[in-house]
Amino acid sequence: MTENEPHEQRRRVVVACQGGGSQTAFTAGVLTELLADRSVEIRALSGTSGGAVCALLAWYGLLTHRPEDGIRRLEDFWEDNTTHGFYENLLQAVTVASVRTVAELGITVEFSPYNIPFDARQQFLQLLERHVPFDDIHPDALDPSGPRLLIGATDVLSGRFRVFRSHVVNGYPADRIAGTVILASSAVPTLFRAVRVGEDVYWDGVYAQNPPIRELVDAGRPVAPQGPDGPPPEELWVIQIDPDQRSGVPMAVDAIRDRRTELSANISYQQEIFTIGHVNKLIQERLLTARALTRYRPIKIRVITMSDAVASGLDWESKLVRSPGLIHRLFAHGKERARLFRHLLDSPDADEATALRDRNIWGQWTAPVPPYLG
């Protein structure tokens, strides 16, 4: 597809990127393939934690109307984020192996980041700033009709969910997407000190919205010069890190911890999908007001996940691993799964093949309906 072809011929989507530390190298690989697909128009992205980093890098490429720039930034960031040299790789291998051994023994060892002289936040900010020119993305300098970015974080003191918005969305003002915003979304409490943005302090967004989804639909509306914004996007694509299902009951202490972490990460995500699925049903059955029916229409929900084989080989500690072997493997797997996803979109059973597990393409539970949902 050429640059001169009308946007109406492209599939208009919004993309939500779940958090997951180093495992989101998978997300980066997926995004490089989506950015290269000229049949797709990404209207907005959202992300939390590592997903926020990936969404930011892809979004910057879309801002400049050069998707290839976003691809390069994703590749360069994750290469820069890997461990380098013999001693750095050895130190990480020993550290992660020790953490795994302790977990297998059922011992919990945690340290407060405030008791450690080294502040990891500064190193992370420097990494971000090497790959994103934050001074160029002040809200006043952004095209109002350009792609939007939503970043999820958790207010430590109030417990409120916070969404940082690159543009005005649903009447909420735009925020400046600075390096501290991405750090706030990524600040795992056991690794990072809380991050101050304005008057508030934040921790990792996985405790809130992982990732922000409900508002993402409205963020994907094209901006009209006058009057209300245009129609919502046709589809919502979720890049999911934590698996919904496992094949057996975890019994070892570390396996229980891993599964508990996955379930916790998916709670808010599943709730937001349930909300969109319910709204889709109300629209399809024309149970909304006439005014609402003119503004909303059903939106298809598709998901891109790791293969079961790859997901089953990852544990909680792998979210901390930055070894080139793991990062490159997950990045390549993301590209592979994105290519499969694009292939499935052209198949006759695309809606069934790309829907979330146990849900139809509209995000609604498939029969039989779980008894706890009624």
Side-chain angles (χ1 to χ4, degrees), residues 1-6:
M1 181 168 291
T2 67
E3 289 284 345
N4 295 326
E5 288 186 84

Side-chain angles (χ1 to χ4, degrees), residues 110-119 189-193:
E110 291 186 347
F111 300 93
S112 168
Y114 294 91
N115 294 333
I116 301 174
F118 174 71
D119 188 351
T190 54
L191 300 177
F192 292 98
R193 300 174 187 180

Side-chain angles (χ1 to χ4, degrees), residues 315-328:
D315 56 13
W316 180 85
E317 286 80 12
S318 66
K319 297 186 181 210
L320 308 177
V321 173
R322 295 164 39 237
S323 66
L326 178 68
I327 296 300
H328 294 162

Side-chain angles (χ1 to χ4, degrees), residues 16 18 210-211 213 235-245 266-277 280 299-305 341 349-367:
Q18 195 179 49
N210 186 26
I213 289 178
E235 301 184 2
L236 162 67
W237 294 356
V238 181
I239 305 175
Q240 184 175 340
I241 297 298
D242 289 293
D244 295 314
Q245 299 182 357
N266 282 333
I267 287 175
S268 63
Y269 158 58
Q270 291 289 353
Q271 289 174 335
E272 296 209 29
I273 292 296
F274 176 81
T275 298
I276 293 183
N280 279 341
I299 180 170
K300 293 184 175 183
I301 305 173
R302 306 186 192 273
V303 64
I304 306 172
T305 65
F341 176 81
D349 60 344
D351 287 352
E352 180 179 353
T354 61
L356 281 74
R357 198 190 304 255
D358 296 329
R359 296 176 186 265
N360 62 21
I361 196 63
W362 308 111
Q364 300 153 5
W365 287 103
T366 53

Side-chain angles (χ1 to χ4, degrees), residues 21-29 74-75 77-83 92 314 318-334:
S22 293
Q23 291 179 13
T24 53
F26 169 82
T27 303
L74 286 160
E75 293 171 341
F77 174 89
W78 282 98
E79 187 62 39
D80 195 9
N81 192 36
T82 60
T83 50
Q92 179 183 248
L314 299 173
S318 66
K319 297 186 181 210
L320 308 177
V321 173
R322 295 164 39 237
S323 66
L326 178 68
I327 296 300
H328 294 162
R329 180 165 63 92
L330 289 177
F331 197 100
H333 186 56

